[in-house]
Amino acid sequence: MSSPHSTDPAAPHRTKDTSPRTARSRRAPRTSALCVRTCAVTAALSALLLAAVAVTWSPLISFDRAVVDALHTSAVQEPTFTHVNRVLTDWVWDPWTMRLLSAAAVVWLWLRGERLLAMWVALASVLGTGLQQGMKALVGRERPLWPDPVDSAHYAAFPSGHAMTAVVTCGLLLWLCRRRGMAAGAWMWCVAVAAVSVLGVGFTRLYLGVHWPSDVVGGWLLGACVVALAVASYGRVALSRGH
């Protein structure tokens, strides 16, 4: 009779599945639920901000004016710093730079055979751009006007296209990095770069006097809503297809 503590060499050896795909499948329901809640909250806040902008709510308008007046005074007095902000907003954090990053991610995913994920990232980026332009046309908010402008911009003000595109792109790229199981140190660096980009581009738009603070906040909220919607919907579709 064998000891109760003995092991049968012929018995199947069961090991815990720690593959990235298994880990993702276990996190998927929690991630999807969190993203659904995030989407609902950011959508509600976006609607409230849109309503305040549309009715020109006095406290909001006064706050917007006070912030841009103070920043414009500084921009006129500090031409070197103003030039740095123009380079950052026109090249480093420009919406087309952000879209190129998204396009590169889509191509990379497609070549790796992750076609559904590639299409999802592409669709989320397109949705963000379409929503942004549609909101601008719907609201038709004028940008700040100055007798001595330091920069110029086209289209309506609300929401900030720079701010929204930065959130959509950085959010989607962080999502992809998380899915790949990136090491903790590298992940923290990516989060830091994304945070600096999102906050930085918002500051440049205000400092250069081409947006109101509520435009930037509106762009951030709508961008977060798009990312949360993309992640939540992909989780459900991928689960139904066995990805």
Side-chain angles (χ1 to χ4, degrees):
M1 181 180 294
S2 61
S3 168
H5 297 291
S6 64
T7 57
D8 184 359
H13 182 60
R14 297 181 180 177
T15 59
K16 186 177 181 180
D17 188 351
T18 57
S19 65
R21 176 172 292 186
T22 301
R24 287 200 300 267
S25 66
R26 290 170 179 165
R27 290 196 305 263
R30 294 193 300 271
T31 301
S32 181
L34 175 62
C35 287
V36 168
R37 291 194 293 270
T38 301
C39 185
V41 170
T42 52
L45 292 175
S46 297
L48 288 174
L49 183 58
L50 172 61
V53 169
V55 302
T56 60
W57 188 45
S58 295
L60 178 66
I61 302 305
S62 297
F63 173 77
D64 279 350
R65 173 54 68 181
V67 171
V68 297
D69 281 349
L71 290 176
H72 182 69
T73 299
S74 175
V76 171
Q77 295 173 350
E78 302 290 342
T80 301
F81 187 56
T82 298
H83 179 70
V84 171
N85 277 270
R86 292 193 64 174
V87 171
L88 289 172
T89 202
D90 291 340
W91 295 98
V92 180
W93 296 320
D94 182 75
W96 283 108
T97 302
M98 295 290 110
R99 290 173 190 136
L100 285 174
L101 290 175
S102 294
V106 168
V107 171
W108 180 72
L109 290 168
W110 190 271
L111 293 177
R112 287 179 54 87
E114 299 184 66
R115 305 293 171 83
L116 179 63
L117 186 55
M119 289 188 293
W120 224 258
V121 173
L123 287 172
S125 298
V126 171
L127 173 63
T129 301
L131 180 60
Q132 168 201 137
Q133 294 301 322
M135 291 289 288
K136 285 180 178 290
L138 176 66
V139 179
R141 189 184 198 186
E142 290 189 359
R143 295 177 184 268
L145 297 176
W146 310 103
D148 50 353
V150 298
D151 200 0
S152 61
H154 305 290
Y155 307 112
F158 185 91
S160 166
H162 280 68
M164 184 173 177
T165 306
V167 171
V168 171
T169 300
C170 291
L172 291 174
L173 292 180
L174 285 177
W175 173 46
L176 296 178
C177 289
R178 196 65 169 175
R179 283 181 55 84
R180 301 306 303 173
M182 179 176 285
W187 167 252
M188 292 305 298
W189 274 106
C190 289
V191 170
V193 170
V196 169
S197 298
V198 168
L199 296 174
V201 75
F203 176 79
T204 64
R205 305 312 284 166
L206 298 178
Y207 194 79
L208 295 172
V210 293
H211 273 295
W212 308 100
S214 51
D215 300 335
V216 172
V217 175
W220 286 339
L221 288 172
L222 287 169
C225 185
V226 169
V227 173
L229 177 63
V231 175
S233 57
Y234 178 81
R236 299 197 175 192
V237 172
L239 186 62
S240 66
R241 295 193 175 195
H243 283 259

